[in-house]
C-alpha cells in the first residue's frame, strides 16, 4: 500500500458546532421559521449538496432548498476558516506520522472551499498530497476517489470514512474500506474498523 485516502467530516474532524450556527443564521436571514439541531445535520453527513435540501426541508420548493444550501455552503467556509472544527483526538500527530510513510489524500462530499478551510485553520495541508470534492468536479465520491488515484498514479490505497456512502464509494473505486466507527454513520460492511483515529497507527504499521 502506498496511499491512504480520507473522508473529512466524521473522520478527521467534527464541524457540527459551526455548521449548526451557519444553517440557523441562513434560515433566519431567509425568513424560514425553524431551527436545526446537531442531530438534524448528522443525518445529512456524507450527502452531496443536491441531496441536502431535500432531506432537511422536504416541505420547501426545490428553488428554496437550493438557495438555502448555496448560502449555507458559502457561509460555512467563511466561519470554518476563522474558527475551524473539532479535530478528533490524535489527528495531527497521526497524520504527521502516516505522511512519512504514505501519500495522504482527502476526498469528501463537500462544496468547493470547504477542504481549503480545513487546511487553512488547522494548518494540516502539508501532510496531504491532493484532495477532491464534487463542488469542483460534479462527480460522485467514488468517481472522485478514482480521479485522485489516476491524477497521482496511486497504485494501492485504502479509503477511511464513517458512513455507508463512504463504504459504497470505496467499493466503487475498488479499495478496502476502513470504518471510522467514532464518526457520524453506522456501517455494517467494512474491511477494517477503528474506534479512534489513533488506531490507524497500529493498523498501518
Amino acid at each position: 500500500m502506498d496511499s491512504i485516502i480520507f473522508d473529512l467530516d466524521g473522520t478527521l474532524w467534527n464541524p457540527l458546532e459551526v455548521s449548526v450556527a451557519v444553517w440557523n443564521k441562513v434560515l433566519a436571514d431567509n425568513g424560514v421559521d425553524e431551527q436545526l439541531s446537531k442531530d438534524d445535520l448528522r443525518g445529512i453527513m456524507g450527502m452531496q449538496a443536491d441531496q441536502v435540501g431535500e432531506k432537511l426541508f422536504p416541505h420547501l420548493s426545490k428553488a428554496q432548498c437550493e438557495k438555502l444550501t448555496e448560502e449555507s455552503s458559502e457561509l460555512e467556509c467563511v466561519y470554518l476558516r476563522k474558527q475551524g472544527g473539532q479535530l478528533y483526538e490524535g489527528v495531527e500527530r497521526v497524520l504527521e506520522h502516516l505522511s512519512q510513510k504514505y501519500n495522504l489524500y482527502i476526498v469528501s462530499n463537500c462544496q468547493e472551499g470547504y477542504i481549503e478551510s480545513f487546511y487553512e485553520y488547522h494548518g494540516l495541508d502539508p501532510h496531504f498530497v491532493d484532495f477532491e470534492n464534487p463542488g469542483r468536479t460534479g462527480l460522485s465520491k467514488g468517481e472522485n476517489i478514482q480521479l485522485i488515484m489516476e491524477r497521482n498514479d496511486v497504485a494501492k490505497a485504502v479509503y477511511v470514512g464513517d458512513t455507508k456512502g463512504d463504504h459504497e464509494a470505496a467499493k466503487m473505486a475498488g479499495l478496502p474500506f476502513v470504518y471510522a466507527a467514532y464518526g457520524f454513520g453506522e456501517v455494517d460492511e467494512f474491511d477494517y474498523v477503528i474506534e479512534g483515529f489513533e488506531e490507524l497507527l497500529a493498523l498501518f504499521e
Side-chain angles (χ1 to χ4, degrees):
M1 187 179 78
D2 57 22
S3 303
I4 305 171
I5 307 173
F6 293 94
D7 170 53
L8 181 49
D9 294 341
T11 301
L12 297 174
W13 74 349
N14 179 343
L16 288 181
E17 197 74 39
V18 171
S19 298
V20 166
V22 166
W23 269 102
N24 287 335
K25 181 181 186 328
V26 169
L27 291 173
D29 289 348
N30 281 273
V32 179
D33 188 23
E34 57 186 289
Q35 295 279 280
L36 298 177
S37 68
K38 289 182 182 179
D39 285 338
D40 292 326
L41 295 189
R42 280 192 184 92
I44 63 166
M45 287 299 169
M47 292 184 177
Q48 292 194 211
D50 58 349
Q51 301 171 305
V52 169
E54 183 179 331
K55 171 75 173 178
L56 291 176
F57 312 109
H59 53 291
L60 298 181
S61 69
K62 183 177 180 181
Q64 286 176 300
C65 289
E66 288 177 350
K67 184 174 187 292
L68 293 172
T69 300
E70 183 177 341
E71 289 184 15
S72 295
S73 295
E74 292 178 3
L75 188 60
E76 189 174 39
C77 291
V78 173
Y79 274 44
L80 287 171
R81 284 180 191 273
K82 293 179 179 178
Q83 62 190 84
Q86 180 185 353
L87 294 179
Y88 289 110
E89 187 173 352
V91 162
E92 293 168 290
R93 182 177 69 86
V94 172
L95 289 177
E96 182 177 4
H97 184 83
L98 291 175
S99 65
Q100 295 172 17
K101 187 176 180 181
Y102 304 101
N103 291 322
L104 307 183
Y105 305 91
I106 296 176
V107 174
S108 173
N109 269 349
C110 59
Q111 66 270 33
E112 188 171 6
Y114 188 84
I115 297 174
E116 294 93 325
S117 297
F118 166 76
Y119 282 166
E120 184 170 322
Y121 184 84
H122 294 287
L124 294 173
D125 50 305
H127 302 312
F128 294 94
V129 177
D130 198 1
F131 69 90
E132 202 50 89
N133 59 72
R136 294 203 306 187
T137 67
L139 301 174
S140 70
K141 181 171 279 187
E143 291 170 324
N144 278 325
I145 293 173
Q146 291 174 325
L147 179 60
I148 278 282
M149 294 180 69
E150 292 166 5
R151 194 160 69 204
N152 295 280
D153 295 319
V154 174
K156 192 175 181 182
V158 299
Y159 188 73
V160 184
D162 67 306
T163 66
K164 289 182 179 179
D166 291 335
H167 172 251
E168 291 167 2
K171 188 174 181 180
M172 175 186 172
L175 299 185
F177 177 62
V178 180
Y179 170 40
Y182 55 83
F184 298 128
E186 294 185 5
V187 182
D188 298 324
E189 296 181 53
F190 45 81
D191 298 286
Y192 309 95
V193 61
I194 54 172
E195 299 292 339
F197 195 79
E198 293 180 323
E199 291 182 21
L200 287 175
L201 291 178
L203 183 62
F204 294 130
E205 280 298 327

